[in-house]
Amino acid sequence: MQNLKICLLFLLCLSCGKDREKVLPQKTKLTSSVYASATIQPDSLYQIYAVVAGILEDNLVEEGDLVRKGDAVLQINDRAPKLNADNAYLSLQQSKENFQGDAAILKEIEDEIYSARLKFNNDSINYSRQKRLWEQNIGSKAEFDTRKLAYELSANQLKQQRARYARTKYDLETKMAQARNSYSTTKIITDDYTVNSKINGRVYALFKEPGELVNTLEPLGAIGSASNFKIVMLIDEVDIIKIKIDQLTLITLDAYPKEVFTAKVSKIYPQKDERSQTFTIEALFTEPPSILYPGLAGEGNIVISEKEDALTIPIEYLMDGNKVETEEGLVRVEVGLKNLERVEIISGITEKTFLLKPKG
């Protein structure tokens, strides 16, 4: 009776072993990759900020509009700065007229210099003539002194007029330069009340409505490329050292559930996000989908390495990181590449070794 019980128990264990799933290792092409969450963003995307505070007067564009670099996007109320700019412009025009115009102050002084030069030339001739006569003892001393005095006075007057011209010219040039600088300053301040696009692209967001208060700390909108998009991915810190520029990346998007798109890693940001303990990388599509929108979400798999004819087993058959269960018992193996489904076995078993699936 005891022998019968032992025999039945052996048959029961044997039948249980036969019911467990078995597999044979297979030689396949194994691709090892790093998983990442992915988000689509326009290239050159940036947020719009004002450099002055005030009241938003108007949104000059709408969300979705195409803009060129330098196009006005938003207008902040600028009545007071504009009046200052207008006054500065008038001052500049007046300074130019005083310096360069038909009724210029310098023209009047030039005429006076011309008259003074004529008088000087005439007095110089008379003085020279009278001096020669006096040297020949002809004429009176009083007449000689009169001619000499007239010559010296006209010479001094010409010198003063030339000095006055130089001084007036310098003053007018200085005032015109000051007026020009003042106008440029007020023009810059006025321009600061208009927010312009920094790139050729599309307006993706506007956050304020006319009449609302704006400041220099809050974004007013977002502008980015209209045609070029990038894939922003978050990589776990344990995997970041495996990532290199130009690595092949397979992208799946929730908006295109049945398609897989290829891309290449284009940028690796060196700063880790301490909150999420992740690094950010960017990739560019090899052939992008026909329609893309900012914020589309999906997944990315960055291909780290590939190997042909690798001996692999389903990853769920691997126990404790380096053991498998065969019909003869547990066997220690050396593992190589792995992905989410299969793992490479370098040594320890062969293609003819049946493996038992670990018990749940």
Side-chain angles (χ1 to χ4, degrees):
M1 187 65 177
Q2 185 68 24
N3 291 337
L4 179 61
K5 288 183 179 180
I6 294 174
C7 184
L8 290 174
L9 183 60
F10 174 78
L11 291 175
L12 180 61
C13 292
L14 185 63
S15 64
C16 289
K18 290 181 179 179
D19 290 341
R20 291 174 64 185
E21 293 184 35
K22 298 179 183 179
V23 296
L24 283 172
Q26 296 179 352
K27 283 193 174 182
T28 61
K29 177 181 179 180
L30 185 63
T31 299
S32 178
S33 62
V34 169
Y35 170 83
S37 60
T39 305
I40 304 300
Q41 294 292 353
D43 192 24
S44 304
L45 181 69
Y46 76 97
Q47 291 187 318
I48 310 168
Y49 284 87
V51 297
V52 294
I55 302 297
L56 181 62
E57 187 168 291
D58 194 12
N59 287 322
L60 304 178
V61 294
E62 295 182 356
E63 292 175 327
D65 284 355
L66 295 174
V67 292
R68 304 289 297 176
K69 183 178 180 179
D71 284 353
V73 177
L74 303 169
Q75 181 64 53
I76 301 170
N77 188 297
D78 64 344
R79 291 187 181 89
K82 193 172 185 306
L83 287 175
N84 292 335
D86 291 343
N87 290 334
Y89 177 75
L90 292 175
S91 296
L92 175 60
Q93 292 303 106
Q94 185 179 25
S95 297
K96 286 183 177 180
E97 182 65 26
N98 289 337
F99 184 64
Q100 301 170 336
D102 295 335
I105 297 173
L106 289 178
K107 183 68 169 58
E108 180 182 346
I109 301 177
E110 286 174 352
D111 293 340
E112 293 177 0
I113 290 176
Y114 178 74
S115 299
R117 187 184 300 113
L118 291 177
K119 187 176 185 306
F120 170 75
N121 290 338
N122 184 63
D123 290 340
S124 177
I125 293 171
N126 291 333
Y127 169 65
S128 297
R129 183 184 298 117
Q130 193 65 41
K131 183 180 179 182
R132 286 195 301 271
L133 292 173
W134 176 248
E135 289 173 349
Q136 298 173 13
N137 295 320
I138 301 173
S140 65
K141 180 71 166 59
E143 190 175 5
F144 171 75
D145 290 341
T146 300
R147 296 297 184 184
K148 182 180 180 182
L149 179 60
Y151 165 74
E152 291 175 347
L153 288 174
S154 60
N156 187 57
Q157 185 179 14
L158 179 59
K159 181 179 178 181
Q160 288 180 345
Q161 291 293 351
R162 285 173 172 167
R164 178 189 171 202
Y165 178 88
R167 184 173 60 255
T168 304
K169 182 180 179 181
Y170 175 78
D171 289 342
L172 292 176
E173 284 181 330
T174 301
K175 288 180 180 179
M176 187 172 68
Q178 290 173 339
R180 183 182 290 111
N181 290 340
S182 178
Y183 175 66
S184 298
T185 301
T186 56
K187 189 71 169 58
I188 291 173
I189 294 174
T190 303
D191 291 343
D192 286 344
Y193 283 77
T194 301
V195 181
N196 302 309
S197 175
K198 291 181 172 58
I199 62 170
N200 298 333
R202 187 184 300 276
V203 179
Y204 286 101
L206 293 172
F207 303 141
K208 294 285 187 177
E209 293 295 330
E212 291 189 68
L213 181 67
V214 300
N215 57 49
T216 59
L217 301 178
E218 293 180 312
L220 305 180
I223 295 178
S225 173
S227 56
N228 298 325
F229 289 81
K230 61 186 177 182
I231 308 153
V232 180
M233 293 179 285
L234 300 180
I235 304 294
D236 192 278
E237 64 174 324
V238 300
D239 295 320
I240 189 62
I241 60 173
K242 304 173 186 176
I243 307 301
K244 295 179 176 60
I245 298 296
D246 288 335
Q247 282 178 328
L248 176 66
T249 305
L250 305 178
I251 302 296
T252 57
L253 298 174
D254 296 342
Y256 296 90
K258 297 181 180 180
E259 298 184 61
V260 177
F261 303 96
T262 59
K264 286 188 176 182
V265 175
S266 59
K267 188 172 184 178
I268 301 172
Y269 289 87
Q271 180 65 44
K272 182 177 75 170
D273 187 325
E274 296 296 339
R275 292 175 299 176
S276 62
Q277 298 296 301
T278 60
F279 286 82
T280 300
I281 70 169
E282 293 179 2
L284 299 177
F285 284 106
T286 305
E287 293 186 8
S290 57
I291 300 176
L292 286 173
Y293 290 98
L296 290 182
E299 298 177 348
N301 284 282
I302 301 99
V303 177
I304 303 304
S305 58
E306 292 181 311
K307 188 173 183 179
E308 301 285 349
D309 294 328
L311 185 65
T312 65
I313 65 172
I315 198 164
E316 62 266 23
Y317 279 72
L318 185 67
M319 297 183 294
D320 299 331
N322 63 350
K323 295 177 184 177
V324 293
E325 185 176 358
T326 68
E327 292 176 317
E328 283 75 32
L330 290 178
V331 175
R332 188 182 297 273
V333 295
E334 182 182 356
V335 300
L337 299 179
K338 65 174 67 174
N339 58 27
L340 296 177
E341 297 178 351
R342 302 188 72 82
V343 58
E344 178 190 13
I345 304 299
I346 297 176
S347 63
I349 58 174
T350 69
E351 290 181 81
K352 298 180 180 181
T353 305
F354 275 101
L355 304 181
L356 301 178
K357 188 174 183 179
K359 298 178 182 179

